[in-house]
Amino acid sequence: MVKNRFFASRYLFIALTFTSVLILSSCVSRLRRPEITGVIVDYDKNPILNCKVGEVLTDKDGRFKLVEERYNAFFLTEMFAMEAPPLMVTEMIEKKGFEKDVISIHSSRGGGRKKGAKYKIDTIFLKKVNQTFDVSALLKSSDWKLGFNKNADTIYLVKNGFREWCKTDRCSPFYSEYQALTDNYYYGGKNLPEGMIRRIVDVEFDAEKSPLKIKMVCEYHSTFDGPNRPPDTTITKGSYRVLSNSKMILDAGNIKQLSGNYNISEVDLFQMKLTRER
């Protein structure tokens, strides 16, 4: 009887050990990087040959392809984690004569995507070192959105289509700063006047009947208890003048806090930053 118990215990021990080894050695495939494809061009939409993207070079058409990368994770570790791991991808973009850039992909549970994951980034515009712009022509090329801080000594201008143009880390911080000046509700900023949650400003340079047209819509906190203030809209006309491609004189009509002399402290294809002269 004792002998039978001994053998039973021994077989149980062996079975448990085998099962544990099997579980620990079992792996699940996780995503380190999806397949990434895209095209690199300059600001004149000319493809850039031999631009380094991650570990590959672009072809004559500016195209690149980064292959999917995966890794194996222990099943037991993943089981206790109870959810797919995050995905964090960073790939450098480098070409002599151009500013460096970065492709970033972040997803809180993206590491759980199945084999065959793809990320198509379409077109990336690479900026030349010391790239120059005709500011007047740039302003007239499209309508813009505007954000400004409480003292109106800093203005952020974002051209319509910015989100379709901006695919990389070089331009995305600018948009975050712009959002912080326009939306207290979603982006947690404290840059708007007390009680205001959102301020959207649309600007047309060289509008049909005026050198400058501005439409500003302000939204305010609303509660069930009230009293609530409805949104207000200001539409005004004004004028502007660009001096030596580096300064702007702005007459913002009825939005008087925006009128003044500004330095054009930053400019890119879809963005511009103005700082008031002191």
Side-chain angles (χ1 to χ4, degrees), residues 42-43 48 94-101 126-133 170:
D42 62 20
Y43 277 14
I48 302 175
E94 299 176 277
K95 174 70 175 180
K96 186 176 181 181
F98 291 83
E99 294 186 6
K100 292 182 179 181
D101 211 338
L126 210 58
K127 185 179 182 181
K128 291 180 180 178
V129 175
N130 300 321
Q131 180 96 39
T132 58
F133 298 91
R170 183 175 54 80

Side-chain angles (χ1 to χ4, degrees), residues 223-245:
T223 66
F224 288 111
D225 298 328
N228 297 321
R229 180 177 176 180
D232 60 55
T233 301
T234 302
I235 298 176
T236 187
K237 296 179 181 180
S239 62
Y240 72 99
R241 187 152 56 104
V242 176
L243 305 175
S244 303
N245 226 36

Side-chain angles (χ1 to χ4, degrees), residues 8 25-27 30 56-57 65 70 77-78 85 98 114 121 125 129 153 162-163 191 195 212 219 222 230 242 271 275:
S25 61
S26 297
C27 294
R30 292 306 193 192
V56 304
L57 297 176
K65 177 180 177 180
R70 305 191 71 85
T77 303
E78 295 292 291
F98 291 83
K114 295 180 179 180
I121 200 168
F125 290 83
V129 175
D153 54 17
F162 182 96
R163 299 303 290 166
N191 300 297
L212 181 70
E219 299 176 11
S222 295
V242 176
Q271 66 192 53
T275 51

Side-chain angles (χ1 to χ4, degrees), residues 29-46:
S29 177
R30 292 306 193 192
L31 180 64
R32 177 175 284 118
R33 180 184 73 187
E35 176 187 288
I36 305 174
T37 56
V39 181
I40 309 292
V41 302
D42 62 20
Y43 277 14
D44 294 317
K45 298 184 179 181
N46 299 311

Side-chain angles (χ1 to χ4, degrees), residues 20-76:
S20 297
V21 171
L22 183 64
I23 291 175
L24 289 172
S25 61
S26 297
C27 294
V28 58
S29 177
R30 292 306 193 192
L31 180 64
R32 177 175 284 118
R33 180 184 73 187
E35 176 187 288
I36 305 174
T37 56
V39 181
I40 309 292
V41 302
D42 62 20
Y43 277 14
D44 294 317
K45 298 184 179 181
N46 299 311
I48 302 175
L49 174 65
N50 290 331
C51 178
K52 192 171 186 294
V53 185
E55 70 276 12
V56 304
L57 297 176
T58 55
D59 64 16
K60 62 182 179 62
D61 298 315
R63 299 185 181 278
F64 69 90
K65 177 180 177 180
L66 296 171
V67 299
E68 180 183 14
E69 292 183 351
R70 305 191 71 85
Y71 65 96
N72 291 325
F74 286 118
F75 174 79
L76 190 62

